[in-house]
Amino acid sequence: QVQLVESGGGSVQPGGSLRLSCAASGSIFGIDEMGWYRQAPGKQRELVASITSDGTTSYAASVKGRFTISRDNAKNLASLQMNSLKPEDTAVYYCNAHVVARPAMSGMGYWGKGTLVTVSS
């Protein structure tokens, strides 16, 4: 089995910073893509940022210039550095990873349980 565990969520004031981490463990040969999604109260889950195994990144327009996604392939870790946080960033943030469990086998997606980020005064 594969498990994704997020950490780093919490409550911050507008303009503050927070760093989220996602650790993947279990039967893992490699991870094609890792990404961060978020779901705000009353809204659907949306992609925040993603990163491929070779480092290609993609960001939602609402977070460009403020958030940075990174990964450590050797450690199966992904991080999301969030700066200049706004109240609209308040949401449960979920880690997602497309994991290849064995060589030459097709991968599948996994989700973490989520970590809550609250931005308020």
Side-chain angles (χ1 to χ4, degrees):
Q1 62 178 5
V2 175
Q3 183 178 34
L4 270 55
V5 179
E6 303 100 334
S7 62
S11 181
V12 298
Q13 294 184 335
S17 297
L18 208 59
R19 180 177 181 271
L20 305 182
S21 295
C22 173
S25 62
S27 181
I28 301 174
F29 174 71
I31 302 177
D32 295 329
E33 291 193 53
M34 301 188 78
W36 287 95
Y37 292 72
R38 68 185 181 188
Q39 187 165 20
K43 301 180 67 176
Q44 62 184 353
R45 189 172 299 185
E46 65 175 346
L47 175 66
V48 176
S50 65
I51 183 168
T52 65
S53 60
D54 65 358
T56 301
T57 60
S58 180
Y59 297 92
S62 60
V63 307
K64 283 185 177 180
R66 299 188 297 120
F67 291 10
T68 302
I69 187 171
S70 60
R71 64 185 288 172
D72 184 330
N73 292 336
K75 297 182 178 180
N76 295 323
L77 294 174
S79 297
L80 184 69
Q81 179 65 47
M82 304 184 293
N83 298 324
S84 301
L85 284 163
K86 305 174 181 179
E88 65 187 31
D89 294 319
T90 296
V92 175
Y93 284 71
Y94 298 90
C95 179
N96 175 266
H98 189 257
V99 178
V100 178
R102 298 174 64 87
M105 298 296 291
S106 180
M108 64 180 296
Y110 291 88
W111 290 95
K113 295 180 179 179
T115 184
L116 178 63
V117 171
T118 301
V119 185
S120 66
S121 299

